């Protein structure tokens, strides 16, 4: 949430920062701002020049004067937490003298207490943000160096932060720090970059350093150094980003969401590549750091994620339970650590996050590690915080996902869980024939997804027909229920149509009261041993004059419309049944004129609590 980008070097900084903000806008888009260090003139020292604007990055860009020269600067695109979107609440925030500027991702938990103390001491605030508190704390420090001023201020605050700081008295540097919110350094040729996401860096460099929590860095044009908030030097080794700059382009599509839906066959092929072991009818997941003896000792699997990742975890838990015969369940990470959970040494915990930086998931991982648990990560971003904090894991290799709502990463995450379930199953009691059956099913997925994508014109017509609904119900049983949950979430996120998901078996226990012609139901109806049960649920809906759109392996006579998808193995069918509902949500939102890539009130990487 929120995007930071900064640069120090020899190039004109404003165009670089604005370009970086455009690439980061999916992280927050209610206001934006830029501040640069102007060039000193004669005896006149360097001065900070700032422009801010409520709205999108394009609104900021329209305000930046043509003459806005400098070679050092920081910029920010905001997702509001404290204070409504406005010019005043936009970052960067400056001290009253205009000598210090700061951009911040995260939340300062004790901001109200600190603000009250500063006001009592005569400080006047220009915004409603928690960030301005930190700005004043740094500015009021009397330490000799900018690094020490920042360190002193950070010791006074509680909460999460990713920050970048400029000061006109220290015009040769940018000071950055991280605690719970990502900060990535980009290493160039006599120039340095900083950002909250590599998306802002890959156009200019693929050599990066990711800060750890409690770590700071000083960036100069030709050098950088890292150290802890206690002042101890740390060693940082650059890594190479695997994604190319072109991965972040629209690629001829009207939206990133449409592009990312269409990329799913290739994305699934990537997550499978090099991992299938035909000789033993299993898969190779070397990154788990879990040998066969340790895997056989696992007595339970607990999967933790938020939103779409939680839904992927629900499907993953079912796969693990069915194939490995290990009790498994999924739980929202945001709730897990607040209920004082019993942490069992025989339980394998799996943390799921597309970005690898989701704060609720990361906090759960840190709590589990503190209590001695074994934790694996299922993430998309190499080198992310969760990838570094966990004992091992599986990268899902979906590639960059720019649209706020997740599509290809959800699909790849579920496929990754299929690989994990098969791996654990073959170590335990899953037969060779079942291993071969599932491998064949996994290999079919890319081509079957292509078949589903060819249904887009048909699904578009259905979306336009259902777009006038004020509310929709999604139902499924067992394997179909998590698909219903995810489809319901997708529709809510981008179309703003109210949607609810229920197990089909629960209709008669309350939700049937909502059924009427104006309330369409989307039914997930796989051709499995619950087919007749699902048909009975549709009978209940039709008896109450409800409209039904079925996603099934064959036409459903009780449905008003059916989207027929290819059949795979029963354990893998949920992967395919969710994809037409991504397309349905997309075209529903398109018919309603929504901003599909940047839905209101949401941001991509949720790095606040």
């Amino acid at each position: 949430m929120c995007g930071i980008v900064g640069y120090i070097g020899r190039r004109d900084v404003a165009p670089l920062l604005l370009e970086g903000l455009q690439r980061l806008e999916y992280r927050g888009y209610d206001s934006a701002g830029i501040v640069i260090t102007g060039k000193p003139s004669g005896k006149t020292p360097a001065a900070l020049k700032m422009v801010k604007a409520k709205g999108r990055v394009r609104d900021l860009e329209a305000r930046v004067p043509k003459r806005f020269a400098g070679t050092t600067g920081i910029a920010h695109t905001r997702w509001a937490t404290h204070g409504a979107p406005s010019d005043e609440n936009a970052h960067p925030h400056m001290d009253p003298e205009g000598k210090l500027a700061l951009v911040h991702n995260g939340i300062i938990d004790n901001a109200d207490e600190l603000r009250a103390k500063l006001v009592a001491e005569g400080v006047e605030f220009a915004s409603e943000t928690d960030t301005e508190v930190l700005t004043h704390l740094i500015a009021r420090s009397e330490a000799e160096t900018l690094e020490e001023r920042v360190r002193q201020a950070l010791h006074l605050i509680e909460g999460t932060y990713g920050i970048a700081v400029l000061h006109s008295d220290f015009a040769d540097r940018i000071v950055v720090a991280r605690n719970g919110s990502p900060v990535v350094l980009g290493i160039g040729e006599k120039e340095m970059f900083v950002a909250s996401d590599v998306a802002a860096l890959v156009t200019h460099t693929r050599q990066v350093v990711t800060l750890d929590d409690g770590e700071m860095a000083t960036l100069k044009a030709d050098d950088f150094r890292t150290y802890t908030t206690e002042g101890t030097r740390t060693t940082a080794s650059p890594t190479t980003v695997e994604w190319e700059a072109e991965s972040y382009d629209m690629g001829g599509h009207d939206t990133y969401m449409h592009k990312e839906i269409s990329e799913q066959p290739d994305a699934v092929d990537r997550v499978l590549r090099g991992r299938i072991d035909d000789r033993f009818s299993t898969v190779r997941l070397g990154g788990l750091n879990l040998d066969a003896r340790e895997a056989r000792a696992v007595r339970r699997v607990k999967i933790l994620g938020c939103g779409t990742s939680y839904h992927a975890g629900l499907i993953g838990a079912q796969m693990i339970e069915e194939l490995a015969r290990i009790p498994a369940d999924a739980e929202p990470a945001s709730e897990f650590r607040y209920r004082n959970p019993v942490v069992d040494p025989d339980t394998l915990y799996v943390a799921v996050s597309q970005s690898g930086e989701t704060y609720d998931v990361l906090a759960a991982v840190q709590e589990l590690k503190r209590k001695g648990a074994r934790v694996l990560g299922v993430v998309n971003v190499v080198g992310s915080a969760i990838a570094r904090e966990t004992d091992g894991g599986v990268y899902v290799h979906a590639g960059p996902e720019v649209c706020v709502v997740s599509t290809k990463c959800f699909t790849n995450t579920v496929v990754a869980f299929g690989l994990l379930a098969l791996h654990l199953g073959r170590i335990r009691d899953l037969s060779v024939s079942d291993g071969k059956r599932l491998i064949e099913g996994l290999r079919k997925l890319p081509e079957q997804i292509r078949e589903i994508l060819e249904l887009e014109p048909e699904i578009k017509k259905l979306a336009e027909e259902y777009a006038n609904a004020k509310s929709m119900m999604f139902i499924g049983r067992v394997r179909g229920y998590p698909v219903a949950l995810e489809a319901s979430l997708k529709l809510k996120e981008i179309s703003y149509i109210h949607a609810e998901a229920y197990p089909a078996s629960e209709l008669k226990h309350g939700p049937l009261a909502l059924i009427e012609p104006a309330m369409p139901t989307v039914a997930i109806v796989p051709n499995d041993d619950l087919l007749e049960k699902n048909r009975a649920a549709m009978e209940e809906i039709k008896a109450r004059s409800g409209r039904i759109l079925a996603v099934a392996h064959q036409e459903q006579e009780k449905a008003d419309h059916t989207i027929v998808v290819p059949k795979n193995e029963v354990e893998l069918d949920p992967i395919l049944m969710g994809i037409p509902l991504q397309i349905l949500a997309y075209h529903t939102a398109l018919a309603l004129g929504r901003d599909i890539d940047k839905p209101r009130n949401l941001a991509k990487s949720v790095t606040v609590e």
Side-chain angles (χ1 to χ4, degrees):
M1 288 185 168
C2 303
I4 288 173
V5 60
Y7 172 83
I8 183 167
R10 295 175 292 183
R11 290 195 264 175
D12 187 16
V13 70
L16 289 175
L17 297 182
L18 291 169
E19 176 202 37
L21 288 184
Q22 291 286 358
R23 290 189 176 273
L24 294 181
E25 194 170 21
Y26 65 95
R27 297 180 66 96
Y29 37 86
D30 58 47
S31 58
I34 179 173
V35 64
I36 68 172
T37 304
K39 295 179 180 179
S41 176
K43 296 182 178 180
T44 304
L48 301 187
K49 299 184 289 185
M50 182 170 70
V51 181
K52 302 198 290 185
K54 175 185 173 181
R56 299 292 175 86
V57 173
R58 61 176 177 263
D59 299 307
L60 170 67
E61 196 167 5
R63 289 193 183 182
V64 173
K66 290 183 179 179
R67 292 187 178 182
F68 199 64
T71 57
T72 303
I74 54 177
H76 188 271
T77 180
R78 181 173 183 253
W79 184 85
T81 57
H82 290 65
S86 68
D87 289 359
E88 294 78 16
N89 290 332
H91 297 213
H93 291 285
M94 296 182 72
D95 71 314
E97 294 183 11
K99 300 182 74 174
L100 178 142
L102 177 143
V103 292
H104 166 231
N105 294 349
I107 292 179
I108 299 172
D109 295 332
N110 60 338
D112 289 345
E113 173 190 337
L114 293 169
R115 177 185 282 260
K117 182 178 179 182
L118 288 167
V119 168
E121 294 173 359
V123 173
E124 294 185 5
F125 281 78
S127 77
E128 303 168 86
T129 67
D130 55 340
T131 300
E132 194 183 353
V133 170
L134 181 56
T135 306
H136 287 296
L137 291 174
I138 297 172
R140 288 163 67 85
S141 169
E142 297 179 355
E144 292 186 3
T145 66
L146 180 57
E147 290 84 348
E148 184 61 25
R149 295 179 191 185
V150 173
R151 285 181 55 233
Q152 287 180 359
L154 293 178
H155 287 157
L156 298 175
I157 67 169
E158 300 168 6
T160 60
Y161 55 80
I163 63 169
V165 184
L166 285 183
H167 198 296
S168 58
D169 290 348
F170 305 91
D172 65 337
R173 67 196 63 194
I174 302 173
V175 175
V176 301
R178 171 200 170 123
N179 184 53
S181 194
V183 175
V184 184
L185 314 183
I187 303 165
E189 185 67 32
K190 294 187 178 179
E191 59 184 3
M192 289 291 300
F193 303 81
V194 62
S196 50
D197 191 312
V198 295
L201 305 178
V202 290
T203 302
H204 308 288
T205 180
R206 293 175 63 197
Q207 294 296 304
V208 302
V209 169
T210 302
L211 296 190
D212 290 323
D213 283 349
E215 196 169 21
M216 298 175 59
T218 297
L219 281 62
K220 296 186 177 181
D222 56 357
D223 192 19
F224 75 97
R225 60 187 177 92
T226 59
Y227 43 93
T228 69
T229 52
E230 303 302 321
T232 304
R233 287 293 299 268
T234 58
T235 302
S237 299
T239 59
T240 302
V241 176
E242 62 180 32
W243 297 336
E244 301 283 352
E246 293 76 17
S247 302
Y248 294 92
D249 294 336
M250 203 85 77
H253 294 263
D254 293 331
T255 65
Y256 280 107
M257 183 177 181
H258 192 269
K259 176 196 178 198
E260 287 154 11
I261 289 172
S262 71
E263 289 175 334
Q264 288 178 108
D266 292 336
V268 169
D269 183 66
R270 279 197 303 274
V271 75
L272 297 176
R273 194 177 302 153
R275 286 173 162 167
I276 291 176
D277 183 347
D278 287 302
R279 180 183 177 190
F280 294 106
S281 301
T282 187
V283 295
R284 293 183 292 267
L285 298 173
L288 291 182
N289 299 325
L290 186 74
D291 64 29
R293 183 185 296 273
E294 292 168 322
R296 289 192 65 84
V298 172
R299 292 291 172 261
R300 178 174 291 277
V301 176
K302 166 74 76 173
I303 300 171
L304 302 172
C306 295
T308 287
S309 293
Y310 165 59
H311 298 159
L314 288 170
I315 301 174
Q318 290 183 2
M319 288 177 168
I320 290 167
E321 198 156 282
E322 286 185 284
L323 299 178
R325 306 308 298 155
I326 305 172
D329 68 303
E331 181 176 346
S334 50
E335 295 292 309
F336 173 77
R337 69 192 181 97
Y338 286 112
R339 63 174 183 79
N340 193 24
V342 175
V343 176
D344 185 346
D346 295 328
T347 296
L348 178 66
Y349 296 88
V350 184
V352 192
S353 167
Q354 179 266 327
S355 66
E357 302 284 352
T358 308
Y359 182 76
D360 286 319
V361 181
L362 179 59
V365 168
Q366 291 169 338
E367 177 70 2
L368 286 166
K369 296 295 291 180
R370 187 181 69 81
K371 293 181 176 180
R374 187 182 197 101
V375 189
L376 302 181
V378 177
V379 300
N380 190 40
V381 180
V382 176
S384 56
I386 292 170
R388 298 197 311 274
E389 294 254 2
T390 49
D391 298 295
V394 183
Y395 286 115
V396 305
H397 298 303
E401 194 172 62
V402 177
C403 179
V404 167
V405 303
S406 178
T407 51
K408 66 175 180 176
C409 198
F410 168 77
T411 298
N412 268 37
T413 300
V414 179
V415 174
F417 272 118
L419 296 173
L420 177 61
L422 175 55
H423 173 75
L424 293 174
R426 288 289 293 123
I427 285 173
R428 297 165 78 90
D429 301 316
L430 189 71
S431 68
V432 170
S433 61
D434 275 332
K436 288 181 178 178
R437 174 178 65 83
L438 288 159
I439 285 172
E440 288 174 6
L442 288 165
R443 284 186 165 135
K444 288 178 184 175
L445 287 172
E447 188 54 42
Q448 289 181 317
I449 294 171
R450 289 187 182 94
E451 290 179 38
I452 294 171
L453 296 179
E454 290 175 1
L455 300 175
E456 184 172 1
E458 170 192 334
I459 298 171
K460 179 182 178 182
K461 290 179 182 177
L462 292 172
E464 291 167 349
E465 182 169 335
Y466 285 93
N468 63 353
K470 300 299 181 186
S471 187
M472 292 182 73
M473 185 88 75
F474 290 77
I475 61 170
R477 289 186 80 121
V478 187
R479 299 183 190 93
Y481 176 52
V483 177
L485 282 168
E486 174 61 13
S488 167
L489 178 63
K490 283 290 156 287
L491 188 71
K492 280 183 281 213
E493 286 178 313
I494 59 169
S495 76
Y496 316 148
I497 293 174
H498 173 260
E500 294 289 343
Y502 281 92
S505 56
E506 285 289 297
L507 280 177
K508 55 190 175 290
H509 297 295
L512 274 178
L514 298 172
I515 298 300
E516 59 174 344
M519 163 80 93
T521 298
V522 176
I524 316 302
V525 190
N527 193 358
D528 59 14
D529 55 356
L530 293 172
L531 178 60
E532 294 307 319
K533 299 289 186 183
N534 281 315
R535 285 174 171 166
M538 289 193 287
E539 289 270 15
E540 294 173 354
I541 294 167
K542 292 307 291 183
R544 290 154 180 84
S545 302
R547 289 188 293 161
I548 300 174
L549 168 60
V551 178
H553 293 125
Q554 61 197 63
E555 289 287 341
Q556 298 298 314
E557 64 180 40
K558 295 300 178 184
D560 298 272
H561 303 95
T562 304
I563 301 172
V564 179
V565 299
K567 183 80 177 74
N568 200 299
E569 302 303 320
V570 291
E571 299 91 346
L572 304 177
D573 280 333
I575 298 168
L576 297 170
M577 302 197 89
I579 290 170
L581 296 173
Q582 296 173 353
I583 301 171
L584 182 77
Y586 174 82
H587 281 289
T588 302
L590 194 66
L592 294 170
R594 308 304 191 205
D595 190 343
I596 290 173
D597 285 336
K598 302 179 181 70
R600 68 187 184 198
N601 303 333
L602 300 178
K604 182 67 173 174
S605 299
V606 186
T607 55
V608 297
E609 194 168 7

